Amino acid sequence: MLLGPLACKRSSEEPQPAKDTGPLGTAPGGRQTHTFSSFEFAVVAAATERILPKDEDPGALDADVPVYIDRILQTPSMQPMREDFMTGLAALERRSQRMFQKGFAALTPAQQDELLTLFKDSPPSSGEAHFMELLTVLTLEGFLGDPSYGGNKGKVGWRLMGFDTVGTVAMAPPEGYDGPKCLRECGVHK
């Protein structure tokens, strides 16, 4: 799916250089990013935290969701999605500058929500709606996925969903246990 012609369309102006000197940035804590400049990482962090904000429960930043997105977009098969995501991210920043004369990461939470809602409520075939879908799906994956991919730090997403036993040693079924037979007798599988 390609981004549509609305705000995600590349402007006729020359692209703005990244806010840091190299192609990759640094995430909070000094970690090297893989996809984003430091500036872009801050925008992704702010946007994911609005999708899953911290309250009495952990939020996107607690689970390292931006780290997950940064890593997963480096997967070779994700190249088209990475291009769509980066185009949408640039559109989000342009719209923020146009509406509020500030970058997305510098906006108040209410302003960030207003802008993300505009993208969410865009026509379904638009670039804004596609970016919002990618952002939401990747945020949820990063919050609930396997921590080995860079998100769900400390298994906070799993714990929030009630999967407190994840990562513990599972008991083997008793000797002689016949799973298919049990399913047939329970009427689950005939």
Side-chain angles (χ1 to χ4, degrees):
M1 183 182 293
L2 296 175
L3 289 172
L6 297 174
C8 288
K9 179 176 75 172
R10 297 221 184 253
S11 71
S12 58
E13 301 169 13
E14 285 297 312
Q16 296 296 317
K19 303 293 184 203
D20 53 11
T21 57
L24 300 178
T26 305
R31 286 184 284 195
Q32 180 83 27
T33 60
H34 303 280
T35 302
F36 305 123
S37 68
S38 298
F39 178 79
E40 291 163 337
F41 189 90
V43 175
V44 171
T48 59
E49 188 65 12
R50 296 314 306 147
I51 292 172
L52 285 175
K54 180 178 182 153
D55 50 20
E56 65 274 359
D57 295 313
L61 298 181
D62 297 312
D64 269 356
V65 168
V67 172
Y68 165 79
I69 296 173
D70 180 61
R71 288 182 184 173
I72 202 70
L73 290 178
Q74 283 300 300
T75 306
S77 63
M78 301 286 274
Q79 177 69 32
M81 184 184 291
R82 178 173 52 244
E83 291 171 6
D84 288 354
F85 191 89
M86 296 305 287
T87 300
L89 192 64
L92 182 68
E93 186 61 23
R94 280 193 309 273
R95 179 74 67 93
S96 178
Q97 289 289 342
R98 197 166 53 242
M99 287 177 64
F100 302 107
Q101 293 73 52
K102 288 191 224 176
F104 185 82
L107 299 177
T108 66
Q111 290 170 324
Q112 290 171 341
D113 289 348
E114 180 181 344
L115 191 49
L116 290 172
T117 298
L118 283 172
F119 273 55
K120 178 184 75 69
D121 292 341
S122 294
S125 62
S126 71
E128 294 95 336
H130 179 58
F131 171 71
M132 193 63 198
E133 179 182 3
L134 289 175
L135 179 65
T136 302
V137 167
L138 291 173
T139 298
L140 292 172
E141 284 179 2
F143 192 78
L144 298 170
D146 188 315
S148 67
Y149 292 99
N152 198 5
K153 179 180 171 188
K155 302 176 187 166
V156 297
W158 289 350
R159 285 191 176 83
L160 184 64
M161 299 303 295
F163 299 136
D164 289 333
T165 60
V166 172
T168 61
V169 177
M171 287 182 41
E175 188 157 335
Y177 177 77
D178 184 352
K181 179 182 176 188
C182 180
L183 289 173
R184 281 190 304 276
E185 290 174 359
C186 295
V188 175
H189 181 45
K190 298 189 187 232

